[in-house]
Structure formats: structure tokens, C-alpha cells
Amino acid sequence: MLCERVLEHNLAAQGYVIFHPQLESFETQIAAYLGAKTIISPDNSALHLAAFVGHSAQHIAVLLRRVQGAVDLLPQLSAFCECEPLIINAISQIWVQEGRAPANWGQYAELSSEKIYTTLLDHGFITTEHPWRHIGPWLIKKDLAMLHSKHGGAFTAS
């Protein structure tokens, strides 16, 4: 997803610990998921592990970065954790990078930070105590330019 660092900044200001499971051992991931009271995460493979060790007292919000991102995760999270995760579809645009293989590696979701903020606030995941930085078009362009510089290929909105 585009501008992930802005979302991380906003959540850190709310007191959340930013955790990148792909950089951690399985033991560390399991400990983090077991100890978490609240999890806010994009739809990703690491949530399958969270589902295995999660519990009904947890509050989980999943930010979709793929249109069908909840198809596999929602039933597993609901059944294994015995909780109903909040699914937030704030996708405003999918940007596709030409020439990436496999093709899904070149797809990036542009999310509405306003919709994420409102939904998390309405469901008690965040408070209004800390200002929320919204993602403007110039940040999207900056991220797309960085990805173009890193991987090449033009971007088109789909």
C-alpha cells in the first residue's frame, strides 16, 4: 500500500507499537500476537499466524490493500480467535506498475486516510487526542516516484 509510513506515524502517535512481522522470528511474532490487546494490520500473510494464536479478548482491525483481501482472512480470524475483526475497505485506487512479475507484486493500494481515521475512531481503536495526518495527492505521487525509481515501469490507475 502507498504511504504506509504515514499510517504508521499516525498509529504510533496513538500509542501503537509498529511491528513488521516479516523482520521478526516466528517466536517473536507469536509472542507479539499473544500479548497484543489490539491489532491493526493491512491484510497480509502474517495475520494467518495471528489467527492461530489470537484470542477472543483481542480487538482486530484489518485494512484492506487488495479488493478481495478479506476473503481468506476473515473466516480464519473469526473462527480461530472467536472474535469478529473490523474490516476496513478504504481503497480509493489501485495503481498497477507495468512490467512487474508476478503482476500482483506491481499493484499498490491508495487508501483513504480519512476513511481509516473515521472508521477506527467510530469503533474505539483510536481517539481524537492526537492529530491524524491525512495522505494528500502529493504524497501518493512521491511514493509512486520512489517505486518507479526502485523498480522501473510506469504506473496506471486501474
Side-chain angles (χ1 to χ4, degrees):
M1 55 188 201
L2 297 173
C3 301
E4 185 173 358
R5 67 194 173 285
V6 177
L7 179 62
E8 289 176 349
H9 169 81
N10 288 333
L11 292 173
Q14 292 280 335
Y16 284 93
V17 174
I18 305 306
F19 183 70
H20 290 272
Q22 73 277 15
L23 303 176
E24 304 295 341
S25 68
F26 280 121
E27 294 82 5
T28 300
Q29 289 179 53
I30 289 169
Y33 294 135
L34 278 171
K37 179 178 155 186
T38 304
I39 298 171
I40 300 173
S41 174
D43 64 274
N44 61 44
S45 301
L47 284 178
H48 291 293
L49 182 58
F52 276 108
V53 300
H55 49 85
S56 61
Q58 289 175 322
H59 302 283
I60 301 173
V62 179
L63 306 174
L64 296 185
R65 60 186 177 88
R66 300 170 294 157
V67 175
Q68 297 295 322
V71 171
D72 292 331
L73 289 170
L74 183 59
Q76 186 183 19
L77 284 166
S78 298
F80 287 21
C81 295
E82 297 178 345
C83 65
E84 199 59 39
L86 173 64
I87 303 298
I88 303 173
N89 184 353
I91 299 171
S92 56
Q93 187 74 258
I94 298 289
W95 291 91
V96 179
Q97 190 174 21
E98 296 172 7
R100 288 291 300 270
N104 64 336
W105 286 8
Q107 294 183 12
Y108 297 88
E110 177 183 336
L111 305 181
S112 165
S113 57
E114 292 87 355
K115 185 169 184 178
I116 294 169
Y117 172 79
T118 302
T119 306
L120 290 174
L121 186 63
D122 289 349
H123 288 86
F125 283 84
I126 60 173
T127 68
T128 58
E129 286 181 46
H130 304 281
W132 190 267
R133 183 176 173 205
H134 291 293
I135 299 168
W138 68 275
L139 283 172
I140 297 297
K141 287 180 184 176
K142 185 177 176 183
D143 256 22
L144 290 172
M146 182 272 306
L147 289 166
H148 174 73
S149 156
K150 186 175 179 180
H151 301 294
F155 284 91
T156 54
S158 69

